Amino acid sequence: MTLTFVRDPQVAPELREEFSRLWYEVSRAGGSVGFVPSVSEEEVREAAVAQLARVAAGEHRMLGAYDAGGRLVGTAFLRLHADFKMRHWSMVVLVMLDPALQGGGHGLRLMRETIDMARDAGLEALRLEVRGGMGLEGFYGRLGFKEVGRVPGGLRLSADDYRDDVLMWLALD
């Protein structure tokens, strides 16, 4: 399947609905995107509206991945910094891919495009946090990200499910 990547798509009601749908589907499938599978559609919808408001305000940049039919099937966001000491790097957040497309190399393509978008924006590095125990360190490691910190049990997903909060860094030289 061919994906088309769009940097900074127009924030419109259609995008809000598609992004909310994608975030909900990824969360329900167990994706490490801020929620656990028991999340409600309303919780995700509220978070999606808030996230896209940050895009509209220029605080985050969005990369959208679209299938041949024009459906949003993936996202990645660059959280920009207002603090002058950190404007040279960005935090990558909400990297998502439709669960039906996982395992086909599309996630690597999405991240490579995210890295290119960051370079084109003049950024010098990217940082991201991953939920330990999901194999994500290896995925991001294939793209050159290095683990630079780990908080054991820093994420509590439920009363008895603690995961490491893993910090990763990629210099864009």
Side-chain angles (χ1 to χ4, degrees):
M1 167 182 287
T2 301
L3 298 182
T4 301
F5 296 100
V6 177
R7 296 177 183 186
D8 304 311
Q10 181 68 37
V11 176
E14 299 83 28
L15 180 62
R16 281 185 204 94
E17 286 305 311
E18 289 228 15
F19 176 53
S20 180
R21 172 201 47 81
L22 176 64
W23 198 351
Y24 180 70
E25 289 174 4
V26 170
S27 296
R28 294 286 295 174
S32 177
V33 288
F35 294 108
V36 293
S38 61
V39 69
S40 72
E41 285 185 75
E42 185 56 34
E43 289 172 299
V44 173
R45 185 174 293 108
E46 288 175 16
V49 167
Q51 178 62 26
L52 291 179
R54 292 193 248 336
V55 171
E59 298 167 7
H60 289 205
R61 294 205 46 206
M62 179 180 182
L63 176 66
Y66 295 84
D67 67 12
R71 188 173 76 102
L72 182 69
V73 295
T75 63
F77 294 82
L78 299 176
R79 184 175 73 202
L80 305 174
H81 294 286
D83 185 332
F84 79 94
K85 298 180 299 297
M86 297 187 295
R87 287 188 189 145
H88 64 288
W89 64 272
S90 179
M91 185 78 152
V92 180
V93 297
L94 296 174
V95 176
M96 292 185 239
L97 185 65
D98 184 306
L101 298 178
Q102 292 177 3
H106 301 296
L108 287 171
R109 290 185 48 232
L110 174 66
M111 280 306 301
R112 286 186 183 115
E113 185 68 27
T114 302
I115 292 165
D116 288 345
M117 185 170 92
R119 279 192 178 110
D120 292 347
L123 295 170
E124 297 174 21
L126 292 174
R127 181 175 129 179
L128 55 84
E129 293 179 24
V130 299
R131 184 183 298 172
M134 309 264 317
L136 297 170
E137 300 95 327
F139 170 78
Y140 289 109
R142 288 195 299 276
L143 292 156
F145 282 86
K146 305 288 185 219
E147 182 177 326
V148 294
R150 181 179 290 258
V151 179
L155 303 172
R156 186 172 78 180
L157 305 182
S158 67
D160 60 350
D161 186 2
Y162 289 81
R163 305 286 178 93
D164 291 356
D165 185 11
V166 183
L167 177 64
M168 301 189 80
W169 182 263
L170 175 67
L172 298 176
D173 17 52

PDB file of all heavy atoms in Angstrom, residues 114-128:
ATOM      1  N   THR A 114       8.933  11.898   9.352  1.00  0.00           N
ATOM      2  CA  THR A 114       8.946  12.798  10.519  1.00  0.00           C
ATOM      3  C   THR A 114      10.350  13.367  10.723  1.00  0.00           C
ATOM      4  O   THR A 114      10.516  14.573  10.977  1.00  0.00           O
ATOM      5  CB  THR A 114       8.490  12.037  11.782  1.00  0.00           C
ATOM      6  OG1 THR A 114       7.185  11.496  11.557  1.00  0.00           O
ATOM      7  CG2 THR A 114       8.479  12.936  12.999  1.00  0.00           C
ATOM      8  N   ILE A 115      11.346  12.525  10.604  1.00  0.00           N
ATOM      9  CA  ILE A 115      12.741  12.967  10.746  1.00  0.00           C
ATOM     10  C   ILE A 115      13.088  13.976   9.653  1.00  0.00           C
ATOM     11  O   ILE A 115      13.706  15.018   9.919  1.00  0.00           O
ATOM     12  CB  ILE A 115      13.690  11.753  10.748  1.00  0.00           C
ATOM     13  CG1 ILE A 115      13.479  10.931  12.028  1.00  0.00           C
ATOM     14  CG2 ILE A 115      15.148  12.181  10.577  1.00  0.00           C
ATOM     15  CD1 ILE A 115      14.092   9.539  11.992  1.00  0.00           C
ATOM     16  N   ASP A 116      12.667  13.702   8.420  1.00  0.00           N
ATOM     17  CA  ASP A 116      12.916  14.644   7.318  1.00  0.00           C
ATOM     18  C   ASP A 116      12.223  15.979   7.567  1.00  0.00           C
ATOM     19  O   ASP A 116      12.777  17.042   7.295  1.00  0.00           O
ATOM     20  CB  ASP A 116      12.449  14.057   5.984  1.00  0.00           C
ATOM     21  CG  ASP A 116      13.331  12.939   5.475  1.00  0.00           C
ATOM     22  OD1 ASP A 116      14.466  12.777   5.983  1.00  0.00           O
ATOM     23  OD2 ASP A 116      12.880  12.215   4.565  1.00  0.00           O
ATOM     24  N   MET A 117      10.995  15.934   8.088  1.00  0.00           N
ATOM     25  CA  MET A 117      10.257  17.152   8.393  1.00  0.00           C
ATOM     26  C   MET A 117      11.016  17.970   9.436  1.00  0.00           C
ATOM     27  O   MET A 117      11.125  19.199   9.321  1.00  0.00           O
ATOM     28  CB  MET A 117       8.845  16.811   8.877  1.00  0.00           C
ATOM     29  CG  MET A 117       7.964  18.009   9.115  1.00  0.00           C
ATOM     30  SD  MET A 117       6.226  17.552   9.398  1.00  0.00           S
ATOM     31  CE  MET A 117       6.217  17.407  11.172  1.00  0.00           C
ATOM     32  N   ALA A 118      11.555  17.301  10.445  1.00  0.00           N
ATOM     33  CA  ALA A 118      12.320  17.985  11.499  1.00  0.00           C
ATOM     34  C   ALA A 118      13.586  18.610  10.924  1.00  0.00           C
ATOM     35  O   ALA A 118      13.921  19.760  11.243  1.00  0.00           O
ATOM     36  CB  ALA A 118      12.655  17.010  12.617  1.00  0.00           C
ATOM     37  N   ARG A 119      14.292  17.874  10.090  1.00  0.00           N
ATOM     38  CA  ARG A 119      15.507  18.418   9.466  1.00  0.00           C
ATOM     39  C   ARG A 119      15.167  19.642   8.623  1.00  0.00           C
ATOM     40  O   ARG A 119      15.853  20.667   8.682  1.00  0.00           O
ATOM     41  CB  ARG A 119      16.172  17.356   8.585  1.00  0.00           C
ATOM     42  CG  ARG A 119      17.006  16.375   9.330  1.00  0.00           C
ATOM     43  CD  ARG A 119      17.855  15.539   8.361  1.00  0.00           C
ATOM     44  NE  ARG A 119      18.673  14.635   9.115  1.00  0.00           N
ATOM     45  CZ  ARG A 119      18.497  13.304   9.153  1.00  0.00           C
ATOM     46  NH1 ARG A 119      17.522  12.733   8.462  1.00  0.00           N
ATOM     47  NH2 ARG A 119      19.290  12.551   9.879  1.00  0.00           N
ATOM     48  N   ASP A 120      14.112  19.523   7.816  1.00  0.00           N
ATOM     49  CA  ASP A 120      13.708  20.638   6.955  1.00  0.00           C
ATOM     50  C   ASP A 120      13.306  21.866   7.768  1.00  0.00           C
ATOM     51  O   ASP A 120      13.398  22.993   7.283  1.00  0.00           O
ATOM     52  CB  ASP A 120      12.559  20.223   6.031  1.00  0.00           C
ATOM     53  CG  ASP A 120      12.987  19.199   4.983  1.00  0.00           C
ATOM     54  OD1 ASP A 120      14.204  18.988   4.796  1.00  0.00           O
ATOM     55  OD2 ASP A 120      12.088  18.597   4.354  1.00  0.00           O
ATOM     56  N   ALA A 121      12.859  21.650   9.001  1.00  0.00           N
ATOM     57  CA  ALA A 121      12.493  22.758   9.884  1.00  0.00           C
ATOM     58  C   ALA A 121      13.712  23.345  10.589  1.00  0.00           C
ATOM     59  O   ALA A 121      13.578  24.286  11.377  1.00  0.00           O
ATOM     60  CB  ALA A 121      11.468  22.287  10.910  1.00  0.00           C
ATOM     61  N   GLY A 122      14.889  22.769  10.342  1.00  0.00           N
ATOM     62  CA  GLY A 122      16.108  23.289  10.944  1.00  0.00           C
ATOM     63  C   GLY A 122      16.391  22.764  12.335  1.00  0.00           C
ATOM     64  O   GLY A 122      17.269  23.291  13.027  1.00  0.00           O
ATOM     65  N   LEU A 123      15.678  21.723  12.750  1.00  0.00           N
ATOM     66  CA  LEU A 123      15.915  21.162  14.075  1.00  0.00           C
ATOM     67  C   LEU A 123      17.216  20.351  14.078  1.00  0.00           C
ATOM     68  O   LEU A 123      17.597  19.765  13.068  1.00  0.00           O
ATOM     69  CB  LEU A 123      14.738  20.285  14.507  1.00  0.00           C
ATOM     70  CG  LEU A 123      13.428  21.056  14.710  1.00  0.00           C
ATOM     71  CD1 LEU A 123      12.275  20.087  14.885  1.00  0.00           C
ATOM     72  CD2 LEU A 123      13.539  21.998  15.896  1.00  0.00           C
ATOM     73  N   GLU A 124      17.849  20.296  15.247  1.00  0.00           N
ATOM     74  CA  GLU A 124      19.120  19.584  15.383  1.00  0.00           C
ATOM     75  C   GLU A 124      18.967  18.214  16.021  1.00  0.00           C
ATOM     76  O   GLU A 124      19.888  17.391  15.933  1.00  0.00           O
ATOM     77  CB  GLU A 124      20.086  20.425  16.211  1.00  0.00           C
ATOM     78  CG  GLU A 124      20.444  21.741  15.558  1.00  0.00           C
ATOM     79  CD  GLU A 124      21.291  22.631  16.445  1.00  0.00           C
ATOM     80  OE1 GLU A 124      21.928  22.116  17.390  1.00  0.00           O
ATOM     81  OE2 GLU A 124      21.312  23.848  16.199  1.00  0.00           O
ATOM     82  N   ALA A 125      17.831  17.967  16.677  1.00  0.00           N
ATOM     83  CA  ALA A 125      17.650  16.686  17.361  1.00  0.00           C
ATOM     84  C   ALA A 125      16.169  16.443  17.620  1.00  0.00           C
ATOM     85  O   ALA A 125      15.350  17.364  17.600  1.00  0.00           O
ATOM     86  CB  ALA A 125      18.423  16.664  18.674  1.00  0.00           C
ATOM     87  N   LEU A 126      15.864  15.175  17.865  1.00  0.00           N
ATOM     88  CA  LEU A 126      14.517  14.757  18.251  1.00  0.00           C
ATOM     89  C   LEU A 126      14.598  13.936  19.520  1.00  0.00           C
ATOM     90  O   LEU A 126      15.554  13.176  19.722  1.00  0.00           O
ATOM     91  CB  LEU A 126      13.868  13.910  17.155  1.00  0.00           C
ATOM     92  CG  LEU A 126      13.538  14.631  15.864  1.00  0.00           C
ATOM     93  CD1 LEU A 126      13.038  13.636  14.816  1.00  0.00           C
ATOM     94  CD2 LEU A 126      12.518  15.725  16.096  1.00  0.00           C
ATOM     95  N   ARG A 127      13.595  14.081  20.342  1.00  0.00           N
ATOM     96  CA  ARG A 127      13.482  13.313  21.572  1.00  0.00           C
ATOM     97  C   ARG A 127      12.104  12.682  21.588  1.00  0.00           C
ATOM     98  O   ARG A 127      11.144  13.234  21.058  1.00  0.00           O
ATOM     99  CB  ARG A 127      13.639  14.278  22.755  1.00  0.00           C
ATOM    100  CG  ARG A 127      13.571  13.630  24.109  1.00  0.00           C
ATOM    101  CD  ARG A 127      13.864  14.674  25.171  1.00  0.00           C
ATOM    102  NE  ARG A 127      12.816  14.633  26.167  1.00  0.00           N
ATOM    103  CZ  ARG A 127      12.775  15.397  27.235  1.00  0.00           C
ATOM    104  NH1 ARG A 127      13.702  16.300  27.442  1.00  0.00           N
ATOM    105  NH2 ARG A 127      11.811  15.285  28.096  1.00  0.00           N
ATOM    106  N   LEU A 128      12.011  11.504  22.178  1.00  0.00           N
ATOM    107  CA  LEU A 128      10.711  10.870  22.364  1.00  0.00           C
ATOM    108  C   LEU A 128      10.746  10.000  23.598  1.00  0.00           C
ATOM    109  O   LEU A 128      11.814   9.658  24.092  1.00  0.00           O
ATOM    110  CB  LEU A 128      10.262  10.082  21.129  1.00  0.00           C
ATOM    111  CG  LEU A 128      11.173   9.007  20.547  1.00  0.00           C
ATOM    112  CD1 LEU A 128      11.013   7.695  21.268  1.00  0.00           C
ATOM    113  CD2 LEU A 128      10.830   8.810  19.081  1.00  0.00           C
TER     114      LEU A 128
END
